[in-house]
Amino acid sequence: DIQMTQSPSSLSASVGDRVTITCRASQTITSYLNWYQQKPGKAPKLLIYAASSLQSGVPSRFSGSGSGTDFTLSISSLQPEDFATYYCQQSYSTPRTFGQGTKVEIK
Amino acid sequence: QVQLQESGPGLVKPSQTLSLTCTVPGGSISSGGYYWSWIRQHPGKGLEWIGYIYYSGSTYYNPSLKSRVTISVDTSKNQFSLKLTSVTAADTAVYFCAREDIVLMVYAAWGQGTLVTVSS
């Protein structure tokens, strides 16, 4: 199985801050990397697919980059509705695997 | 946005079989182009992929659960189902059904999730 490791596990930030989350795969996954946002009691929501493509309807303050084994999700100016947990997920091979999550909290 | 809907018992006794159904609106389950998936989330934890089925019936399961999992599809009812046998407290989780786009390989449609507790 491909292991996905996110860092940090949690972070505190203020509205307007730039936030960056890192995801590392245990082997190359080329660009088969997706990012999801999950709020308490809700299903995950797709933000970014294929490492850097913005899902329709997702605000442009979200962006993704990377290839191979190292990826980042950035939020350019954190908004109140962005406080949530973020997961990366590889779709390079089965079984699909997710990172352990990064919880973004209000400072 | 397509909204899937899970249904099934919220409480299952240890050693018994967990059974859940996911209803897909709009008759799209037979249209091809998607893998119909189950994903679970232990309380306060991350996401664990269980497996998927194609409308034709072909399946792939997570090796960690493969000996206990069966995913089936009923195209006439536009539903797919999960059975997990010999459950223990470690199977207590929120179970999500989700649709994976075969081309983009993303989960853009999910159910709201259903909590299944394993307890006597």
Side-chain angles (χ1 to χ4, degrees):
Chain A
D1 299 5
I2 298 175
Q3 306 305 313
M4 307 299 294
T5 303
Q6 288 181 233
S7 60
S9 296
S10 64
L11 65 91
S12 296
S14 300
V15 173
D17 284 352
R18 179 179 181 83
V19 167
T20 298
I21 298 168
T22 296
C23 178
R24 174 165 289 176
S26 60
Q27 66 184 75
T28 184
I29 57 171
T30 61
S31 294
Y32 290 96
L33 190 283
N34 308 314
W35 289 98
Y36 299 85
Q37 175 194 68
Q38 187 180 32
K39 296 183 178 179
K42 300 293 187 182
K45 172 188 173 184
L46 177 66
L47 299 176
I48 301 285
Y49 64 94
S52 60
S53 296
L54 191 68
Q55 172 69 353
S56 175
V58 174
S60 59
R61 63 180 179 273
F62 291 92
S63 64
S65 64
S67 66
T69 60
D70 295 314
F71 302 86
T72 59
L73 172 70
S74 296
I75 310 172
S76 61
S77 177
L78 201 64
Q79 297 302 300
E81 60 268 30
D82 300 337
F83 292 96
T85 301
Y86 294 84
Y87 294 93
C88 61
Q89 176 244 330
Q90 64 82 17
S91 55
Y92 181 81
S93 68
T94 48
R96 307 292 192 228
T97 47
F98 294 83
Q100 80 279 15
T102 295
K103 187 174 184 179
V104 177
E105 298 176 300
I106 301 173
K107 181 183 283 185
Chain B
Q1 177 104 17
V2 174
Q3 177 73 53
L4 311 183
Q5 179 69 53
E6 303 93 350
S7 59
L11 181 64
V12 181
K13 290 182 167 51
S15 79
Q16 294 192 344
T17 297
L18 179 160
S19 297
L20 295 174
T21 296
C22 182
T23 300
V24 179
S28 60
I29 205 165
S30 300
S31 63
Y34 304 109
Y35 292 129
W36 302 97
S37 307
W38 289 97
I39 295 164
R40 70 181 182 179
Q41 186 168 36
H42 294 100
K45 302 296 184 183
L47 298 157
E48 180 181 24
W49 186 83
I50 298 171
Y52 65 55
I53 191 166
Y54 191 54
Y55 81 96
S56 62
S58 60
T59 55
Y60 191 96
Y61 303 136
N62 192 323
S64 68
L65 296 167
K66 186 176 182 179
S67 63
R68 299 194 292 131
V69 170
T70 302
I71 299 176
S72 58
V73 65
D74 186 338
T75 54
S76 67
K77 294 182 179 179
N78 226 41
Q79 295 175 334
F80 63 106
S81 299
L82 169 70
K83 290 191 185 300
L84 182 65
T85 62
S86 305
V87 297
T88 69
D91 295 308
T92 293
V94 174
Y95 287 77
F96 294 99
C97 58
R99 186 186 77 181
E100 178 178 333
D101 184 295
I102 288 177
V103 173
L104 296 180
M105 291 187 282
V106 296
Y107 297 104
W110 295 72
Q112 81 281 5
T114 187
L115 173 63
V116 178
T117 301
V118 179
S119 175
S120 56

